[in-house]
Amino acid sequence: MSEPDVKVFATLEEASAALGERVAGQLRAAVAERGQASIALSGGSTPRRLYETLAGGEVPWEHVLVLWGDERFVAHDSPASNYRMARETLLDRIEIPPEKVRPIPTDLPRPKDAAAAYAAELEVLCGDESGRGEPPRIDVILLGMGEDGHTASLFPWRDELLENELWVVASRAPEEPYERVTLTLPVINSGRWVHFLVAGATKREALRCALDAPRDPQQCPASMVEPRDGTLTWWLDAEVAEGVEVAAF
Ligand code: 6PG
């Protein structure tokens, strides 16, 4: 992987606008190249403005497969649902065929059932045609990062970090909602254009750990995101980036 590109903006608003433009361009390029594109959305609260920006961008959504990087194992109409957040800020504001929107199912008996079902869906939707069983190559992967350095629903010191066969697994968060479903690192690191959007002083420590590559990567799962044959870009606000050595602002 080439060195990550680290971009710092005065505010989250500005970072979201710039990332929204970049993602819209990447989706257009992928559609122009292959007739289709795929994007995996992140959850939490940071990306809300990004999704609103994307909703107003020039994107051929009829050719874009919308996936999720992770989900809380709650009903899709729960306030904690990543699907619900994306629906409110993006999906309800764009014209997109329903079949292009593929949320992680949370109406199955257990998170591991949802993980298996989503992995099977990924196989069909964007599996590796060569039949070698390579992880799906999602064009755009959006990621956030928690104060503990977690990303998607891959939390520090958990076994899911070491998963290198399964593409989607159940995981457990240290805070409510505990039960999660998440893409694994093999899929995330197969992304073509992988983006972190991180903001706020509370994440400064985690950012430093992620960018400095900790002695034990499991301390900071975000540091384990290293796209094998793709790009990694950090989109930061000035608050989180304060004191972080950044090559170019
Ligand atoms: C989730 C996310 C998670 C999120 C971080 C940051 O399901 O919560 O996918 O990885 O990106 O927890 O969340 P905030 O943006 O709310 O700080």
Side-chain angles (χ1 to χ4, degrees):
M1 178 191 100
S2 53
E3 275 304 297
D5 183 10
V6 181
K7 298 180 182 305
V8 181
F9 299 82
T11 63
L12 171 59
E13 171 79 23
E14 287 180 26
S16 303
L19 176 52
E21 257 179 60
R22 174 67 65 86
V23 167
Q26 290 171 340
L27 292 174
R28 287 196 300 272
V31 171
E33 205 178 280
R34 303 195 325 270
Q36 59 183 12
S38 51
I39 182 171
L41 301 180
S42 68
S45 55
T46 302
R48 294 187 72 95
R49 188 74 196 99
L50 166 61
Y51 296 165
E52 289 165 355
T53 301
L54 262 183
E58 285 298 310
V59 177
W61 289 109
E62 69 278 16
H63 300 297
V64 178
L65 184 65
V66 178
L67 304 163
W68 271 258
D70 72 315
E71 184 56 280
R72 294 85 179 275
F73 198 65
V74 296
H76 279 161
D77 61 1
S78 157
S81 164
N82 289 338
Y83 169 75
R84 173 172 157 169
M85 184 273 281
R87 184 145 286 290
E88 288 169 353
T89 55
L90 173 61
L91 300 172
D92 284 348
R93 304 174 185 214
I94 59 175
E95 293 291 315
I96 184 167
E99 66 275 13
K100 301 299 271 185
V101 179
R102 312 303 281 244
I104 294 173
T106 58
D107 53 356
L108 297 178
R110 300 167 303 174
K112 65 189 294 190
D113 304 317
Y118 207 55
E121 208 170 341
L122 288 180
E123 172 77 52
V124 171
L125 294 166
C126 37
D128 164 48
E129 284 87 36
S130 72
R132 282 194 307 273
E134 294 292 312
R137 184 162 168 75
I138 298 170
D139 289 302
V140 175
I141 297 183
L142 300 175
L143 295 171
M145 184 178 69
E147 294 173 19
D148 60 357
H150 82 260
T151 189
S153 284
L154 297 168
F155 294 90
W157 315 115
R158 291 208 42 108
D159 291 347
E160 298 87 44
L161 291 175
L162 305 175
E163 176 59 55
N164 56 22
E165 294 293 322
L166 300 176
W167 298 351
V168 190
V169 293
S171 74
R172 192 163 177 79
E175 61 197 10
E176 285 278 12
Y178 296 112
E179 293 190 311
R180 309 284 181 105
V181 181
T182 185
L183 296 185
T184 56
L185 285 166
V187 177
I188 292 171
N189 285 330
S190 296
R192 184 173 177 190
W193 298 297
V194 182
H195 300 282
F196 273 105
L197 178 63
V198 183
T202 61
K203 299 187 180 176
R204 232 173 251 164
E205 208 40 54
L207 177 68
R208 190 170 288 110
C209 189
L211 292 181
D212 292 351
R215 226 169 345 94
D216 184 340
Q218 293 190 50
Q219 170 191 349
C220 175
S223 71
M224 301 173 79
V225 174
E226 298 177 305
R228 275 189 302 284
D229 178 22
T231 62
L232 175 61
T233 311
W234 289 80
W235 303 75
L236 308 173
D237 76 345
E239 267 205 31
V240 73
E242 189 182 292
V244 171
E245 286 306 306
V246 174
F249 269 57

